[in-house]
Amino acid sequence: QVKLVESGGGSMPVGGSLTLSCVASIRSGYIDSMDSMAWFRQAPGKEREAVATIYQPAKETYYTDSVKGRFTISQDRAQNTLYLQMDSLKPDDTAVYYCAAGGPAWLTAIQKLFKYWGQGTQVTVSS
């Protein structure tokens, strides 16, 4: 079983920064080094959307248009940790942010292709 635990969420004013972390604890099964990982978010009354995804073997990343130039996804395979650096935060970034792992061996933003999900961490940006 793979457990993902997010941390780093909180409340920030517009223009602030936050860094989200996601640590993978593996009791059984595994997260293959070829798996993609991702951050998704769900704002109140909206569907969950992909924010940023990463496929490290090919050094590829994807960002949704609204966060390009402001957010950076990265991972530390040795520590089984995924990060999301969020700068220049806007009120529209307010959402619950979810870490996802166990994706396919290519870059993707399709939710159903990820096997493992964290419980989510709240990010609130106030104007």
Side-chain angles (χ1 to χ4, degrees):
Q1 182 179 359
V2 176
K3 183 178 180 181
L4 303 178
V5 179
E6 302 100 334
S7 61
S11 297
M12 290 295 290
V14 170
S17 297
L18 281 174
T19 301
L20 303 183
S21 299
C22 170
V23 178
S25 298
I26 304 171
R27 294 186 178 181
S28 63
Y30 62 94
I31 295 180
D32 193 282
S33 62
M34 298 295 286
D35 289 349
S36 50
M37 299 184 74
W39 288 98
F40 289 79
R41 68 184 179 187
Q42 187 167 21
K46 296 185 177 180
E47 294 187 353
R48 190 160 58 183
E49 65 169 348
V51 177
T53 67
I54 186 168
Y55 180 57
Q56 195 174 57
K59 295 181 172 54
E60 294 178 334
T61 56
Y62 158 87
Y63 296 93
T64 191
D65 286 345
S66 63
V67 308
K68 285 181 181 177
R70 300 189 298 119
F71 289 12
T72 304
I73 188 171
S74 62
Q75 66 181 122
D76 182 338
R77 280 290 185 186
Q79 299 298 323
N80 285 331
T81 303
L82 182 70
Y83 300 98
L84 184 67
Q85 174 66 42
M86 305 187 296
D87 299 319
S88 302
L89 285 165
K90 302 177 180 180
D92 285 348
D93 295 322
T94 295
V96 177
Y97 284 71
Y98 298 91
C99 170
W106 62 83
L107 189 68
T108 183
I110 301 174
Q111 296 186 42
K112 65 181 181 181
L113 297 182
F114 290 87
K115 298 177 185 176
Y116 311 112
W117 291 82
Q119 81 291 346
T121 185
Q122 177 71 45
V123 172
T124 303
V125 183
S126 56
S127 56

